[in-house]
Amino acid sequence: FDCGQRFHGAVMLALGWAAWKTYLGRDELDGYRRHVMGALGDALSSSRPKEALSVLEANLALTRRFWSQDEDLILSAQANVANCLTVPGLRDKARQDEALVLRRGIYARRLAVNGASHVDAIGSGCNVACSLIIMKRFGESRRLLRDLLVRSRQSLGSDHDFTLNIVHSLVETLTLNPERTRDDLRLHQ
């Protein structure tokens, strides 16, 4: 029915609400209920970010309360909150700082638990770099992205989506940085 495509916009929002209404009556301990709450928050994030943030924060609290032993679930719920904080409708200095703190904490845990070359650690590092770019902290983002690029190429390959996204983010960092030098523009340092 979906041909493997990712839904977005009104369709994603309708599916998020439909899933939430389907599982709302289940017990708080039900994993499907927790999962669709996160899906609803994700669906709301592009069109109604303030509502999305409330849903995602409630989902994080629920996950911490009933699934405290599952660090991966908690880190994923934290990442959803951090991602919502970076949506243009919510972007202000305090929220960007909060998102960066969350993303750095997630990245640190992913490094500790999974190792530096694991796909989840690399993805979390990309999220930190995105926050740094939004905050115009280009020196930090450049250093992190170069490190991530080496690890991603080695462990995931040059044609992996994360590797390509890292290259794109590195180009964005270098392009947006008004203080860039010729040496900065060399991608293979």
Side-chain angles (χ1 to χ4, degrees):
F1 138 119
D2 72 356
C3 303
Q5 66 188 5
R6 291 186 53 89
F7 295 110
H8 56 88
V11 173
M12 185 173 168
L13 188 56
L15 289 172
W17 278 116
W20 176 245
K21 288 177 183 176
T22 300
Y23 293 101
L24 174 63
R26 291 192 177 197
D27 187 75
E28 281 187 322
L29 291 169
D30 186 272
Y32 292 113
R33 185 177 189 270
R34 180 201 49 77
H35 181 76
V36 299
M37 181 186 263
L40 175 60
D42 288 341
L44 286 166
S45 65
S46 61
S47 60
R48 299 179 358 212
K50 288 181 182 174
E51 293 173 41
L53 186 58
S54 296
V55 171
L56 292 170
E57 286 174 336
N59 187 46
L60 175 58
L62 183 76
T63 304
R64 283 181 171 151
R65 182 173 175 198
F66 294 116
W67 288 275
S68 59
Q69 75 288 355
D70 193 333
E71 187 168 24
D72 191 56
L73 283 180
I74 293 170
L75 292 173
S76 294
Q78 286 177 319
N80 288 339
V81 170
N83 291 342
C84 188
L85 290 169
T86 64
V87 170
L90 290 177
R91 273 190 202 161
D92 62 33
K93 174 89 171 87
R95 291 188 192 248
Q96 289 309 306
D97 289 340
E98 184 180 351
L100 181 59
V101 167
L102 272 171
R103 285 178 164 177
R104 281 189 167 155
I106 294 164
Y107 182 49
R109 286 304 304 151
R110 294 283 188 203
L111 287 172
V113 172
N114 303 116
S117 296
H118 191 275
V119 66
D120 290 339
I122 292 169
S124 295
C126 290
N127 288 338
V128 172
C130 287
S131 281
L132 292 169
I133 292 168
I134 290 168
M135 298 173 80
K136 298 181 182 352
R137 293 165 70 169
F138 301 118
E140 285 180 77
S141 66
R142 185 188 75 242
R143 285 186 296 279
L144 176 58
L145 286 165
R146 286 204 166 141
D147 178 53
L148 289 170
L149 184 57
V150 169
R151 287 190 274 137
S152 188
R153 281 182 176 155
Q154 288 173 348
S155 62
L156 305 175
S158 293
D159 60 345
H160 191 277
D161 284 345
F162 280 165
T163 306
L164 297 172
N165 286 334
I166 291 167
V167 170
H168 178 267
S169 295
L170 186 53
V171 168
E172 185 179 15
T173 295
L174 297 173
T175 304
L176 294 174
N177 186 358
E179 298 171 6
R180 68 184 175 271
T181 66
R182 258 186 204 275
D183 287 338
D184 290 337
L185 297 176
R186 291 192 184 103
L187 286 177
H188 298 290
Q189 281 185 332

